[in-house]
Amino acid sequence: PVFLTPGASHDTYNLSFMNHFHERDDELWCEGVNLRALAGECGTPLYVYSHATLERHFAAFDGAFAGVPHLTCYAVKANSNIAVLGLLAGWGAGMDVVSGGELFRALRAGTDPQKIVYAGVGKTAPEISDALRAGILMFNVESVEELADALAGRPEWILLDNMPLDWLRRCVELCAGRCKLEASGGVT
């Protein structure tokens, strides 16, 4: 959120990176809507998102990878507002989730399950089972125990992240021919 002090200038808040927020007559506006008037009507705190700004920034980021096969995933923990997630999903974004609640919100927002990556430490067996039933793209596995729980549900793709070499070896043995396997981060 941007908090304005009466009489503060555009330079004070450097709103230039948020292209569709601007000052007019000492008031902050978003896409033609006077935010002071909106706050008066709706009350505060009030969170305002610019559809045009979100779309422009997503297109710029995603477009930077246009020549490379990729999936741009939004970290749901950054903002789990279902309307925002729905916009991003509509533009083709995938979602990076770290909990069952975030998975629920991503699916509720209309995200294609094959565009959901499940990261995060300490995933429970029921969370892993729910994600596999939903048909997510990939798990980021943090331990041998998480891998065993994930393999019980026959995932297509597992990402092994930051684990000791002996764990990594055990994970490779467990996966042998059962799913696509990729290593990421450091091996200790």
Side-chain angles (χ1 to χ4, degrees):
V2 175
F3 301 97
L4 290 182
T5 304
S9 72
H10 179 275
D11 293 336
T12 303
Y13 298 102
N14 188 15
L15 300 176
S16 60
F17 68 94
M18 299 189 311
N19 305 37
H20 299 280
F21 286 84
H22 61 276
E23 257 189 284
R24 183 170 67 203
D25 301 324
D26 290 326
E27 299 280 343
L28 182 61
W29 292 70
C30 176
E31 297 185 31
V33 176
N34 180 309
L35 297 184
R36 185 179 305 277
L38 187 63
E41 181 180 324
C42 298
T44 60
L46 174 67
Y47 298 93
V48 177
Y49 304 99
S50 165
H51 179 284
T53 297
L54 290 170
E55 184 174 27
R56 180 184 172 280
H57 290 189
F58 175 77
F61 186 87
D62 191 57
F65 299 96
V68 179
H70 71 283
L71 175 61
T72 299
C73 290
Y74 178 76
V76 174
K77 66 183 165 192
N79 183 342
S80 62
N81 180 299
I82 291 178
V84 171
L85 300 178
L87 289 174
L88 291 161
W91 299 324
M95 301 292 161
D96 176 74
V97 302
V98 298
S99 70
E102 288 184 4
L103 174 63
F104 173 83
R105 295 181 79 74
L107 292 169
R108 184 78 178 262
T111 305
D112 176 352
Q114 279 293 294
K115 292 185 175 184
I116 296 177
V117 176
Y118 203 130
V121 297
K123 292 179 278 303
T124 65
E127 287 176 322
I128 290 170
S129 178
D130 289 346
L132 289 169
R133 263 196 310 280
I136 68 164
L137 173 65
M138 179 192 319
F139 271 103
N140 185 337
V141 173
E142 307 282 340
S143 70
V144 175
E145 293 79 16
E146 280 186 4
L147 178 62
D149 286 339
L151 288 174
R154 304 196 187 283
E156 289 184 37
W157 196 356
I158 296 282
L159 178 68
L160 303 175
D161 191 22
N162 272 339
M163 54 180 55
L165 186 56
D166 58 328
W167 286 14
L168 184 61
R169 286 186 183 123
R170 181 70 182 124
C171 288
V172 170
E173 290 169 10
L174 286 170
C175 287
R178 297 174 70 183
C179 63
K180 296 177 201 170
L181 187 62
E182 187 173 324
S184 167
V187 175
T188 55

